[in-house]
Amino acid sequence: MFAEATTLPAIGGFVLLPILVILLVAVLTRRTLLALLCGTVTGALLLSGWGAFDTWTEYFGKALANETAQWLLLIIVLFGILITLFERSGIVSDFARWTERFVTSRRKSTLLTFLLSVVLFVDDYLNVLAVGASMKSVTDRYRVPRTQLGAIMKMTAAPIAVIVPFSTWALFFSGLFEAQGVTVGGSGFGAYLQAIPYVFFGWIAIVVAFLMSVGWLPKFGVLRRDAARAERDGDVFPLDTTPAEREAEGAALLAEIRSTDADGSTAQRVSAALETATETATETGAAGSEVVSTRPQAWPFLLAMVTLVGVTIVTDANVVTGTAAALAVTVVITLAQRRLRLRELLDSALVGIQSMLFVAVLTVLAFMVQEMNLTLQLADWVIAVTEPVLTPALLPAIVFAVCGVYAYATGSFWDLAAVITPVVLPLAIALGADPVLAGAAVFSGAALGSTTCLYGDGIILASRSIGIKPHNLMLAILPYAGIAAALSLVMYLIVGAVGV
């Protein structure tokens, strides 16, 4: 269907150019979509010069044909429908109102966010979408900035998935061990179980997320600024949030506050800008407001989540099947309780799909960047640059650093592991280093990239679920991920030196 791309000879450090363009444009313009588009155009120019347009369309087709991209797009669509049904049927607002029984402070709202992120360990995509949709109205009430909510979610999602052996990450990485003949007890899964204690970024990031959630860690940078503004005037959104974005995210919050707290004590102080943007929507009635009951029911949301996690686990971490099952349960509850009529339900499904179009486009462009990096031999160049300094003692630390930087720069996490592991594990064996430890360093680096990458699917989905832009979320996360990464690097230097 598409012309085969020509594999280029190594062109030195120029292979970094698409990544540098993406990061530069994203910082200067704060437009993730524009940044990714510029990066793909730069990659096409490097690959074929004046034939860049044909190459760009070729890689667009390759991204669409990528099985992982198709799998992710299907999850995006299903979750778009599920989240919209949650919101329009009142299931999420019921859950939020139910939590008021025991969530009575800012700290309790952020701690509940962390605990939900831990419970939804099966997959990081599932994690950020479900937690964001269910908790934003709860944390908004206590003036927790959306960037803080997202940072807690993202600092937990991939790290918990990489250290729990019954997740999509664990199954995939176990297969990589087995494919390279690194087994314990005759299986790659046994090797992965042995590697879990050494996935340092996963463990440390979860500790950092917990400290953030209970308020025992200072706020840095963007998060400090956003928290001060939220405390001052109740504006939980980043500064560059547009009025349309505030209206889309804020109308449901104001409608819920007014419907559940007549005396206004819970509302505290909501910003005038947010009030003005959402006034019309509130007067006409937010979607699903007719469903609000005097006694909120938490079981519809909890049943959907239990179905999602349970079906995902029993189907060998098949997130698509789990999400589809949760969607089916939600549809039955919505119709049985007459929360929405059939026509309203179908309309909600279409709105849910439309709400994810921006995320879908970002995802396709991100996969285009990954495909171009493979042809540009970026991984080979990175390995060639670092290989001369590799020793058994330094191997784990260097592998973690290289994988973390590569994953952050490219938005490639599982693909990174699939490309790097066949190089790193044999190299570790040849150097006399522990291949299980080397594999753990690869997986830590992948989790670091997933947690921080501006145009990675994890950041894109998390920012969508809480209604902010990806670059706002990334900037809030970087100081905390940097702490976890630095401590992880030190740990890998220590275990490498003592020869664990």
Side-chain angles (χ1 to χ4, degrees), residues 93-94 97 259-260 289-297 339:
S93 62
D94 264 12
R97 292 168 57 216
S259 64
T260 59
S289 61
E290 62 184 83
V291 187
V292 175
S293 59
T294 55
R295 297 184 63 183
Q297 298 176 320
R339 290 174 174 264

Side-chain angles (χ1 to χ4, degrees), residues 165 174 177 182-185 187-199 203 434-437 439-440 443 500:
S174 297
F177 269 135
V182 178
T183 61
V184 172
S187 72
F189 184 71
Y192 190 81
L193 290 177
Q194 187 169 306
I196 287 176
Y198 304 108
V199 184
W203 292 105
D434 184 358
V436 171
L437 178 59
F443 308 150
V500 174

Side-chain angles (χ1 to χ4, degrees), residues 79-100:
F79 253 102
I81 299 171
L82 183 62
I83 290 172
T84 303
L85 286 182
F86 278 167
E87 292 173 346
R88 291 197 164 197
S89 66
I91 287 177
V92 164
S93 62
D94 264 12
F95 175 76
R97 292 168 57 216
W98 176 77
T99 63
E100 291 176 7

Side-chain angles (χ1 to χ4, degrees), residues 331-351:
V331 168
V332 171
I333 292 173
T334 300
L335 293 176
Q337 292 191 327
R338 298 183 179 180
R339 290 174 174 264
L340 293 174
R341 293 185 291 270
L342 180 60
R343 182 172 180 176
E344 293 172 328
L345 189 148
L346 295 175
D347 287 343
S348 298
L350 290 176
V351 170

Side-chain angles (χ1 to χ4, degrees), residues 441-472:
V442 173
F443 308 150
S444 272
L448 170 59
S450 177
T451 302
T452 57
C453 181
L454 169 66
Y455 46 89
D457 37 32
I459 288 284
I460 291 171
L461 293 178
S463 61
R464 165 63 185 85
S465 74
I466 59 176
I468 65 175
K469 297 172 182 175
H471 75 271
N472 293 130

Side-chain angles (χ1 to χ4, degrees), residues 163-180:
I163 64 173
V164 173
F166 306 105
S167 68
T168 52
W169 285 61
L171 293 177
F172 179 76
F173 292 151
S174 297
L176 295 180
F177 269 135
E178 194 146 346
Q180 298 304 311

Side-chain angles (χ1 to χ4, degrees), residues 19-44:
I19 306 306
L20 295 177
V21 167
I22 291 173
L23 295 176
L24 182 63
V25 173
V27 171
L28 293 179
T29 68
R30 298 188 175 185
R31 296 289 184 271
T32 309
L33 184 61
L34 176 62
L36 279 173
L37 182 61
C38 291
T40 58
V41 171
T42 303

Side-chain angles (χ1 to χ4, degrees), residues 416-441:
L416 154 77
V419 170
I420 297 292
T421 302
V423 177
V424 167
L425 297 188
L427 181 62
I429 294 172
L431 291 173
D434 184 358
V436 171
L437 178 59

